[in-house]
Amino acid sequence: MQCMDKNDHAAIQAVLSGDKEAYGTLVVRHSPSLFRVAFRITGNEADAEDVVQEAFLRGYRKLKGFESRSEFGTWIYRIAVRCALNRIGARRVDGAGRVAEQNDPEEDEIQVEDSAAGPDRLLLSGEIGALQESAMRSLSPAERTAFVLRHMEDCSTEEIAVALGIAPNAAKQAVFRAVQKLRGRLAELRVKI
Amino acid sequence: MKHLMEEELIEAYYGGDEADAASREHLESCAACAQAYAALKSDLDDVKPVSPPARDERFGEQVWERIEPSLHTYTERKWSWRPLGMWRGLGLAAACALLLIGGFTAGRLSVQRKPPITVAKQPAPVVKVGKVEVVVLSDHLDRSERLLVELKHADTDSAEMASPMRDEARSLLGPNRVCMKNATQNGDPALATALDHLNRLLAQLADQREGLNSATIARLQEEMNADGLLFEVRVLRTRIPDRQTGNKAHLNGGTI
């Protein structure tokens, strides 16, 4: 890991000295981890790919401001988390607008979180993942992101706070609210099943 | 007994360093809280980490190929004031200003430390020069007049008279040059011209190393009369008392 960090710093120095291609090694090295967290937050493959690209683009533009004391992997990971959070936030607003404009019941089922998937469908498909995803949709973007980071990415409260740009206590509260909502939603769905 | 809040149970579930030791101890001793914790654990254990869909081995390279055209090339930074930022720049400017002020103050202090030159210890040479000019001129004209009179009435055959005249002419040459120079500087062309005529005569008188012979004396008398030199000197001499009184203030004022 230390060797990788050294390589990262060498690549950054090369990029800042005019070797654009050196950034390619950083992209190749860190794309998988960025895609993983982006997919977990967005729940969508195409969105996750877009988030990865956007994160690396932003990272390149901000590379001069990158402090060599921190690790590039951690730094670009935080950028990707912000990008993913923005994306699900924008999607939520966009979805709400479409529900207001259209009266198609099927469209409502897709866009409105409470009716994303019916119990029958869940029972028939037998996919616990779908049940979980349905419960996850009841969370706000910040709650969902905080929960993913805490529950799936094993981030500490402090790391979540830094990634989301909020106070540690606010990050802790976001995780608590997410767990409460998830448990309530999962209980409802289990009863229906 | 106070039971654990849901927040504390969640904290205990995620554990790590953040988990409160007291909460853990309480869970071991409180059946109700232990049951609540078990339910929470069951729910959260059911929420499995989402496994992202597998990516192509070239995924990273594909990402790079997509974003690469949008990236500019960084140019190696050359030194400039801009990266320093406004505050750093202002700081440097303030430091430069302090250096300038410090240098100026140090210079002033070093000048002040030099012993002051007082008039009493070292009289101004200009004043002295002004007084010398007046005194020498009047005196010089007196002496010159006497010499010219002697020359006019000199016995060409007497060597005894010729030698003192030559010596006097030599002693008058220096003061005559000073007076001539001052007259030129003071813008007195009449005086300067007369002194110039006098200077030529004095030079010829002083230049006779072998002594004045009758022929030389006769020639000089002829030149003196031709130029009207004695008359000029007398006229100038009469002007001197007026100049002294009339221009005293001017001279004093000009020299102090």
Side-chain angles (χ1 to χ4, degrees):
Chain A
M1 187 68 185
Q2 220 172 16
C3 181
M4 187 176 285
D5 291 342
K6 279 184 182 175
N7 290 338
D8 283 356
H9 286 296
I12 290 164
Q13 290 306 315
V15 172
L16 293 176
S17 300
D19 180 9
K20 189 169 80 170
E21 295 297 319
Y23 196 66
T25 61
L26 296 168
V27 172
V28 170
R29 191 176 295 153
H30 295 283
S31 282
S33 63
L34 262 59
F35 178 76
R36 186 195 67 229
V37 71
F39 181 80
R40 284 175 171 171
I41 293 172
T42 61
N44 182 288
E45 200 172 333
D47 281 348
E49 285 192 354
D50 287 348
V51 164
V52 173
Q53 289 181 39
E54 190 183 347
F56 279 117
L57 281 169
R58 282 194 194 183
Y60 190 87
R61 284 196 289 267
K62 295 178 178 176
L63 205 57
K64 270 188 178 175
F66 170 70
E67 293 180 18
S68 55
R69 288 172 298 183
S70 58
E71 292 175 14
F72 177 77
T74 310
W75 183 68
I76 199 73
Y77 179 91
R78 287 173 189 159
I79 293 174
V81 168
R82 295 274 187 95
C83 291
L85 177 62
N86 292 340
R87 184 157 288 259
I88 60 174
R91 193 173 60 189
R92 191 181 175 93
V93 170
D94 190 38
R98 274 190 285 167
V99 168
E101 289 168 5
Q102 298 174 17
N103 295 320
D104 183 355
E106 281 188 16
E107 185 74 9
D108 281 359
E109 273 193 351
I110 295 167
Q111 296 298 330
V112 178
E113 54 208 28
D114 285 349
S115 54
D120 293 342
R121 181 179 158 232
L122 293 174
L123 184 63
L124 289 170
S125 64
E127 292 178 2
I128 191 71
L131 181 67
Q132 181 180 309
E133 181 53 32
S134 175
M136 291 284 279
R137 283 182 189 171
S138 66
L139 306 179
S140 73
E143 290 165 355
R144 178 184 174 113
T145 305
F147 180 76
V148 164
L149 294 178
R150 191 73 166 107
H151 190 78
M152 302 180 190
E153 295 285 315
D154 290 327
C155 292
S156 67
T157 303
E158 283 71 26
E159 287 169 336
I160 297 167
V162 172
L164 299 183
I166 57 178
N169 195 47
K172 188 183 280 187
Q173 290 301 317
V175 173
F176 291 158
R177 285 197 306 274
V179 171
Q180 281 181 321
K181 283 186 183 178
L182 276 175
R183 293 186 74 199
R185 186 66 185 147
L186 286 169
E188 282 176 24
L189 291 171
R190 281 190 192 117
V191 169
K192 287 179 184 174
I193 291 168
Chain B
M1 180 185 286
K2 189 181 176 184
H3 294 293
L4 294 177
M5 305 282 288
E6 189 178 7
E7 288 183 5
E8 291 168 309
L9 291 174
I10 294 168
E11 194 80 35
Y13 174 80
Y14 287 115
D17 296 334
E18 296 173 33
D20 189 355
S23 299
R24 292 178 184 279
E25 284 180 17
H26 180 81
L27 283 173
E28 289 173 5
S29 60
C30 177
C33 288
Q35 192 178 354
Y37 179 76
L40 172 76
K41 187 174 183 302
S42 173
D43 288 346
L44 289 176
D45 284 351
D46 281 345
V47 181
K48 304 292 182 192
V50 177
S51 298
R55 295 286 92 188
D56 189 271
E57 281 184 1
R58 290 190 66 255
F59 173 63
E61 291 167 20
Q62 289 164 356
V63 172
W64 171 241
E65 285 165 9
R66 276 181 231 138
I67 68 170
E68 196 265 339
S70 320
L71 305 179
H72 67 278
T73 303
Y74 279 100
T75 50
E76 201 156 6
R77 192 189 311 180
K78 298 217 164 105
W79 194 92
S80 75
W81 286 89
R82 195 173 293 172
L84 294 175
M86 189 181 73
W87 291 112
R88 282 191 192 178
L90 284 174
L92 272 174
C96 290
L98 276 174
L99 272 174
L100 276 172
I101 292 166
F104 178 75
T105 311
R108 296 276 297 178
L109 287 173
S110 68
V111 168
Q112 285 173 4
R113 278 183 194 139
K114 286 181 183 173
I117 299 167
T118 58
V119 176
K121 285 181 180 175
Q122 208 169 8
V126 181
V127 174
K128 197 173 179 180
V129 168
K131 283 180 180 173
V132 166
E133 180 196 8
V134 175
V135 170
V136 166
L137 181 60
S138 58
D139 190 37
H140 174 69
L141 289 174
D142 281 338
R143 288 172 62 195
S144 298
E145 187 183 358
R146 281 198 298 273
L147 177 65
L148 292 175
V149 168
E150 281 179 23
L151 180 63
K152 186 180 179 182
H153 301 286
D155 185 354
T156 53
D157 294 328
S158 174
E160 289 178 5
M161 286 188 68
S163 186
M165 279 198 297
R166 186 192 61 187
D167 295 337
E168 178 69 4
R170 285 178 179 174
S171 68
L172 284 171
L173 264 176
N176 189 68
R177 289 198 186 99
V178 172
C179 293
M180 194 164 60
K181 186 181 173 185
N182 286 339
T184 307
Q185 286 175 348
N186 292 334
D188 193 340
L191 179 61
T193 306
L195 290 173
D196 184 45
H197 291 166
L198 180 62
N199 198 62
R200 283 202 299 271
L201 184 74
L202 290 173
Q204 288 184 57
L205 274 171
D207 197 37
Q208 303 304 315
R209 294 181 184 174
E210 302 295 328
L212 288 169
N213 54 38
S214 55
T216 306
I217 291 171
R219 183 173 53 82
L220 290 173
Q221 284 174 339
E222 199 175 308
E223 283 180 14
M224 183 181 68
N225 292 330
D227 288 338
L229 187 57
L230 180 58
F231 177 73
E232 273 188 309
V233 170
R234 280 176 175 162
V235 170
L236 291 172
R237 181 65 190 87
T238 56
R239 282 170 53 192
I240 291 301
D242 297 333
R243 283 165 61 94
Q244 276 183 305
T245 39
N247 295 337
K248 194 170 185 178
H250 163 71
L251 290 169
N252 287 342
T255 51
I256 291 171

